[in-house]
Amino acid sequence: MSAILRTTVTRSICRSSPSLLRSAAESSLRTSQKQYFAPFARCAQIHSGRVEQDSLTSTQQDKATTGSEGLHREDIGGRKKDLIDSEKTGTATAIHGDWVLFHPVYTPEELKAVEVLHRQPQTLSDKVAFTLVRILRWGFDLVSGYKHKPLPPDGNNMSLDELRRGGYVLTEKAWLRRLLFLETIAGVPGMVAAMLRHLESLRSMRRDSGWIHTLLEDAENERMHLMTFMTLKQPSIWFRAMVLGAQGVFYNIFFFSYLISPKTCHRFVGHLEEEAVLTYTRCIEDIESGRLPEWKDMPAPKISKDYWRLPDDATLLDVIYAVRSDESTHRFINHSFANLNPKTDVSPFALREPDMHIKGKKLGFERTEAEQYVADSHKLIHQSQAGSAKK
């Protein structure tokens, strides 16, 4: 890896009143180009250092600042109560929001902007990655009991029980089993790739170009999906044993594969996320069509309201929409990484992320697009600094 400039951009996500936003952002640089930060729920903060060049493969070092993710809406109003409660009970109460890495919070329009897409393999590496995903999908469907056959012509006249007996519709229990298993595996690639890049950065004693941060965000986001679904069902010992075995095998295979070809691994994950978007889209269709009656009006788990900043009356359907949007983000990021040079190129997502109207309708950045996106991000930062200096 070359020594790549990387501005540490810390984005805070909130749905606050204007006065509250000003208070929370007093110490940060805020961009005036709010339209570029739509996926961050109407507001964002940028903490940045001085950037000398805008190239995707710049060899200049940056002088970057650091910072925390920032306060969320609940934290600002509820932290004082947490401290009071802890003094009364002698135990620390949970502090929500500021213990997670950056992740987008979506507007209602963005949640509906996700499309089911598929990238046709082009190179031999692409074909290998896609073939492996198809094999993994087949095995995963077999283990999780997933069936989603197209509805028969007279499906509208069949009862829900008849559709389920015919294998056309899954039960809520079957869906949950599949989603839990899916997320235990999906959280592996980002962490493995981040760890390997972290160790390489230590060995070479050079900056990583922002990839580690992006990959860790990816891994934690998948883990939070698992934490959310586990509030609906605690897996059995048998289920946990299957997860342990699958994770052990998948972790080691991905570990050695990433050492050999990072680009192939990112393409593999990109195709894997294509399947995840398809799965969650089908789940949404089943809920909205009334084929999952227990989930139709089920309240969203508390952890999901905090994580995605959902309203108090949010339902499980809102959660599934948010998870699908996350999977679309992972699809976009990994296909983009597969198009970049992992040795020299900066992660364009270390600076900011496109909104879902791009990530949901496009499979990733080509290398020239990523370079332009990095340059545009730096321009926004410079403009923010110039505007702040004038004030």
Side-chain angles (χ1 to χ4, degrees):
M1 293 180 295
S2 60
I4 309 296
L5 67 88
R6 174 174 178 261
T7 304
T8 302
V9 176
T10 308
R11 296 146 289 192
S12 77
I13 309 162
C14 55
R15 289 182 178 174
S16 323
S17 65
S19 60
L20 188 58
L21 174 59
R22 286 195 296 271
S23 174
E26 284 177 353
S27 63
S28 67
L29 295 173
R30 295 191 333 194
T31 179
S32 59
Q33 285 78 10
K34 292 183 179 178
Q35 66 271 26
Y36 287 98
F37 296 87
F40 309 144
R42 305 182 182 87
C43 65
Q45 296 174 340
I46 295 181
H47 297 263
S48 61
R50 183 173 62 84
V51 181
E52 299 294 345
Q53 296 188 15
D54 293 341
S55 170
L56 190 67
T57 57
S58 169
T59 57
Q60 295 292 325
Q61 288 284 358
D62 66 303
K63 297 180 179 179
T65 61
T66 59
S68 63
E69 183 188 351
L71 296 176
H72 289 310
R73 171 169 58 90
E74 286 84 351
D75 303 326
I76 297 171
R79 180 157 301 182
K80 184 179 294 185
K81 179 180 181 300
D82 285 333
L83 295 176
I84 294 173
D85 289 345
S86 65
E87 290 177 358
K88 289 180 179 179
T89 62
T91 58
T93 57
I95 295 179
H96 303 285
D98 58 357
W99 40 265
V100 295
L101 296 173
F102 165 77
H103 59 93
V105 173
Y106 309 102
T107 64
E109 293 76 18
E110 288 178 304
L111 293 174
K112 301 296 179 67
V114 177
E115 297 179 359
V116 175
L117 303 173
H118 169 60
R119 184 184 188 277
Q120 291 296 332
Q122 300 174 9
T123 65
L124 177 61
S125 174
D126 292 349
K127 293 177 181 178
V128 170
F130 180 66
T131 301
L132 290 174
V133 168
R134 300 305 299 174
I135 294 173
L136 183 64
R137 173 67 189 252
W138 174 83
F140 183 42
D141 289 350
L142 181 65
V143 171
S144 63
Y146 179 79
K147 296 179 181 179
H148 206 287
K149 299 189 295 186
L151 292 178
D154 59 341
N156 293 330
N157 299 323
M158 298 173 65
S159 68
L160 182 58
D161 288 339
E162 290 174 333
L163 290 173
R164 287 176 173 175
R165 286 197 301 269
Y168 300 107
V169 177
L170 294 180
T171 64
E172 289 85 353
K173 182 179 180 180
W175 264 115
L176 190 55
R177 181 172 60 245
R178 177 175 179 80
L179 298 182
L180 283 169
F181 199 91
L182 172 66
E183 299 301 345
T184 61
I185 301 301
V188 172
M191 183 59 68
V192 173
M195 178 192 67
L196 288 173
R197 292 190 66 94
H198 172 74
L199 294 177
E200 183 176 358
S201 179
L202 295 178
R203 292 194 304 272
S204 62
M205 302 181 187
R206 295 179 178 177
R207 301 293 293 274
D208 173 71
S209 318
W211 288 54
I212 293 174
H213 191 75
T214 302
L215 291 167
L216 287 176
E217 289 173 350
D218 184 300
E220 183 186 67
N221 183 246
E222 298 285 14
R223 181 173 60 84
M224 292 304 295
H225 295 171
L226 175 64
M227 298 298 104
T228 296
F229 292 129
M230 282 188 64
T231 63
L232 304 179
K233 175 182 173 58
Q234 286 295 319
S236 65
I237 294 178
W238 169 244
F239 185 90
R240 291 172 184 269
M242 287 197 302
V243 169
L244 180 63
Q247 190 178 85
V249 173
F250 183 58
Y251 177 96
N252 286 286
I253 292 176
F254 195 85
F255 177 93
F256 289 108
S257 298
Y258 202 87
L259 289 174
I260 298 170
S261 179
K263 291 172 70 72
T264 302
C265 288
H266 284 297
R267 187 70 73 199
F268 168 84
V269 179
H271 286 305
L272 197 65
E273 299 298 351
E274 290 176 11
E275 297 295 330
V277 171
L278 174 60
T279 295
Y280 282 109
T281 298
R282 288 174 171 173
C283 184
I284 289 171
E285 292 173 351
D286 280 357
I287 296 175
E288 293 183 331
S289 64
R291 293 193 285 267
L292 294 173
E294 293 181 18
W295 287 5
K296 184 67 174 179
D297 298 309
M298 179 180 289
K302 186 178 185 303
I303 187 175
S304 64
K305 294 179 183 179
D306 175 67
Y307 187 68
W308 285 286
R309 300 298 165 235
L310 299 175
D312 292 337
D313 60 349
T315 65
L316 185 61
L317 178 60
D318 298 319
V319 175
I320 300 297
Y321 265 109
V323 172
R324 184 183 69 164
S325 296
D326 285 343
E327 304 296 0
S328 179
T329 295
H330 303 323
R331 179 183 69 184
F332 189 92
I333 287 174
N334 279 280
H335 275 312
S336 297
F337 277 172
N339 295 332
L340 302 180
N341 186 330
K343 292 290 185 181
T344 62
D345 293 347
V346 69
S347 165
F349 313 106
L351 300 176
R352 62 187 175 109
E353 285 190 21
D355 67 30
M356 194 50 62
H357 296 289
I358 296 176
K359 293 185 295 185
K361 300 177 181 295
K362 184 178 173 68
L363 281 170
F365 284 140
E366 296 298 328
R367 192 169 185 274
T368 54
E369 294 175 317
E371 185 166 13
Q372 183 61 48
Y373 189 78
V374 171
D376 292 342
S377 298
H378 290 156
K379 289 178 183 178
L380 290 175
I381 294 171
H382 290 316
Q383 292 172 5
S384 297
Q385 292 174 323
S388 178
K390 291 180 181 179
K391 294 179 180 179

